[in-house]
Amino acid sequence: MKSTPLGPRPAELQVTELDLDGPDGAVLSFGPALPGGPAVRGGDVYALVRLRGRPVATVVCRVPPGKRPADAVAATARAKLGGRGPTALPGDNALGDDAPGPPEARDAGRPEGDLPRTSVVVATRERADQLARALDSLLAQDHPDFEIVVVDNAPATSATQDLVERKYGERVRYARESVPGLAMAHNRGIAVADGAVIAFTDDDVVADPHWLTALTAPFAADPGLGCATGLILPARLRTPAQILLESHGGFAKGFAAREYDPAHPPSGEPLFPFTAGSFGSGANMAFRAAALRDIGGFDPATGTGTPAMGGDDLYAFVSVLVAGHRLRYTPEALVWHHHRETWQDLKNQAYGYGAGLTAYLTAVLARHPAMLPALLRSLPRGLAHARTITAHRDAAGAAVPGGHGAQDYPWPRHLSRLERRGMLAGPIGYAKARRRVRGLPLPWDERARPQGDG
């Protein structure tokens, strides 16, 4: 067995989708990472399980040599569901152990009324190959009325503009934001967008064809909804770093739809609304355009590409709730995310998560000072909660197939230490970033500097 800097190397998992209701029984197909690739072979398989087209669970299993992969994975899925249908088990975010929520929650993604005109904003910087993969999946959406806007953030070359203009032409709009930072790029997208709803995703995802319809349907059903988020699953589990991240939670938030209403705070979340990480992630989110503009968009001193290193999505979630709007998590809105592949990527990610968390809390205080008393009351429990999360990762192991149990492949302690160091650095990073962007107008303000867009 090969070893890595973080322990024994688990076997690659083939990412697949399993439809338990296929016309000829269970149908297993390759996941989004290799469209049109070879048939699923034997070995370790990570599968999204669907019932009547809807995501309901994920399973991990080993396909024995000579056995039909669809049969092996279907048997594991049915055993997990207990033979009682898709509502048998509660949700859990760990790799291979996600299960569905109640049927009424799964109905939340069904369109009710006309779907709103939607703008999909993709911020990118010098990753044309990944961007093309994402745009191809976005152009295949079944939503009846949408546009795609690519925001080129502080580009060093013309690669992104060339890709958009030569390959996609009028099907994709191009905009440039010269100030670096994900929040700045997203704000430029808000200025360019013409949709009543603005959806955001990343250049390293593959969107399920039903993603945009499911993500925007709640806005048609609920005029008071300000934000919707969706399910993020791994597009590939090829390297140890990718498997480690996903086995300890990844980006998934489970298969049960949830609604957050500031008028009726959830009784089981005493830190609400400061636990914004439970609401969703920036690779899969949408906002009612008017609500997003009313809160001033994303804080430009947050996000990847700034000293704050993250937190732009968390800040927006909390700001929308503070403004009185509801937020809904909709697991039928699915994107497949290409996790970073190397150990150094994972180390950077751990530090950035910690920094982004405290940077976003600093941003909330700076821009919503009236929330200071509530935040101070929650701070001791919040710090204890953060320590518990990292301590749990230290103690827990990843149940990875191929004989790697908890004792063999735990979450490395030095990643938890990096995350804590990031938490200490977040407020300082936010202060530095805020000084850099001080005085810049909002892109949709009439005084905004001119920008190139197509």
Side-chain angles (χ1 to χ4, degrees), residues 29 34 41 90 135 165 177 193 200 235 257 278 291 348 359 379-380 384 405 435:
S29 59
L34 297 170
R41 59 191 184 276
L135 292 178
E165 294 179 350
E177 173 53 60
F200 299 86
S278 65
N348 295 343
L379 190 59
R435 284 197 296 270

Side-chain angles (χ1 to χ4, degrees), residues 135-219:
L135 292 178
D136 289 344
S137 72
L138 293 174
L139 287 167
Q141 294 298 299
D142 62 11
H143 191 288
D145 185 14
F146 71 98
E147 66 165 357
I148 301 172
V149 177
V150 168
V151 180
D152 199 0
N153 188 212
T157 72
S158 64
T160 297
Q161 185 172 5
D162 291 344
L163 170 74
V164 172
E165 294 179 350
R166 293 177 183 174
K167 181 176 181 180
Y168 298 103
E170 295 182 355
R171 295 181 297 166
V172 176
R173 298 173 63 193
Y174 174 86
R176 183 195 306 262
E177 173 53 60
S178 60
V179 179
L182 184 59
M184 288 295 301
H186 281 169
N187 284 344
R188 174 58 51 192
I190 298 170
V192 172
D194 65 15
V197 170
I198 306 177
F200 299 86
T201 192
D202 292 347
D203 60 7
D204 55 2
V205 308
V206 173
D208 181 83
H210 188 60
W211 166 68
L212 195 59
T213 293
L215 189 64
T216 58
F219 292 97

Side-chain angles (χ1 to χ4, degrees), residues 98-450:
D98 242 332
E104 63 273 14
R106 296 195 315 279
D107 286 339
R110 291 176 178 264
E112 295 183 25
D114 294 334
L115 292 173
R117 163 75 173 172
T118 300
S119 300
V120 181
V121 173
V122 185
T124 188
R125 187 176 191 274
E126 305 302 339
R127 300 206 294 189
D129 291 343
Q130 292 191 67
L131 176 63
R133 182 178 57 200
L135 292 178
D136 289 344
S137 72
L138 293 174
L139 287 167
Q141 294 298 299
D142 62 11
H143 191 288
D145 185 14
F146 71 98
E147 66 165 357
I148 301 172
V149 177
V150 168
V151 180
D152 199 0
N153 188 212
T157 72
S158 64
T160 297
Q161 185 172 5
D162 291 344
L163 170 74
V164 172
E165 294 179 350
R166 293 177 183 174
K167 181 176 181 180
Y168 298 103
E170 295 182 355
R171 295 181 297 166
V172 176
R173 298 173 63 193
Y174 174 86
R176 183 195 306 262
E177 173 53 60
S178 60
V179 179
L182 184 59
M184 288 295 301
H186 281 169
N187 284 344
R188 174 58 51 192
I190 298 170
V192 172
D194 65 15
V197 170
I198 306 177
F200 299 86
T201 192
D202 292 347
D203 60 7
D204 55 2
V205 308
V206 173
D208 181 83
H210 188 60
W211 166 68
L212 195 59
T213 293
L215 189 64
T216 58
F219 292 97
D222 180 5
L225 192 73
C227 178
T229 61
L231 178 64
I232 303 174
L233 293 179
R236 281 187 176 180
L237 291 172
R238 188 178 64 85
T239 71
Q242 291 174 326
I243 294 173
L244 181 66
L245 176 64
E246 189 62 29
S247 65
H248 286 274
F251 296 94
K253 307 300 178 186
F255 290 86
R258 297 185 298 276
E259 184 171 277
Y260 299 92
D261 188 343
H264 305 284
S267 58
E269 297 189 24
L271 300 179
F272 179 85
F274 301 113
T275 52
S278 65
F279 303 155
S281 298
N284 191 352
M285 61 184 181
F287 297 84
R288 197 175 298 278
L292 188 55
R293 292 189 176 106
D294 285 347
I295 65 168
F298 298 88
D299 187 327
T302 60
T304 303
T306 73
M309 302 186 71
D312 51 311
D313 50 351
L314 307 183
Y315 170 82
F317 297 156
V318 172
S319 296
V320 164
L321 289 166
V322 169
H325 303 284
R326 287 182 286 276
L327 182 152
R328 172 173 282 273
Y329 169 70
T330 304
E332 288 188 43
L334 166 66
V335 300
W336 302 86
H337 181 262
H338 284 79
H339 297 348
R340 302 298 172 85
E341 297 187 354
T342 70
W343 295 123
Q344 187 59 50
D345 288 335
L346 195 57
K347 290 166 66 176
N348 295 343
Q349 207 163 18
Y351 185 87
Y353 282 164
L357 173 63
T358 52
Y360 115 78
L361 290 173
T362 306
V364 169
L365 284 184
R367 295 183 173 271
H368 303 285
M371 297 190 69
L372 178 60
L375 181 58
L376 291 177
R377 287 193 300 269
S378 302
L379 190 59
R381 285 181 294 178
L383 292 174
H385 177 68
R387 286 194 297 268
T388 299
I389 292 175
T390 55
H392 174 72
R393 281 180 169 173
D394 286 344
V400 179
H404 307 298
Q407 72 278 12
D408 294 327
Y409 210 66
W411 183 258
R413 292 181 182 273
H414 79 269
L415 290 184
S416 293
R417 289 194 294 270
L418 278 172
E419 192 169 358
R420 295 186 192 111
R421 283 172 54 191
M423 290 179 187
L424 294 175
I428 299 172
Y430 177 76
K432 290 180 179 178
R434 192 168 184 188
R435 284 197 296 270
R436 293 183 182 182
V437 299
R438 183 171 292 147
L440 292 180
L442 293 172
W444 54 90
D445 189 287
E446 63 182 3
R447 299 167 298 165
R449 61 202 181 287

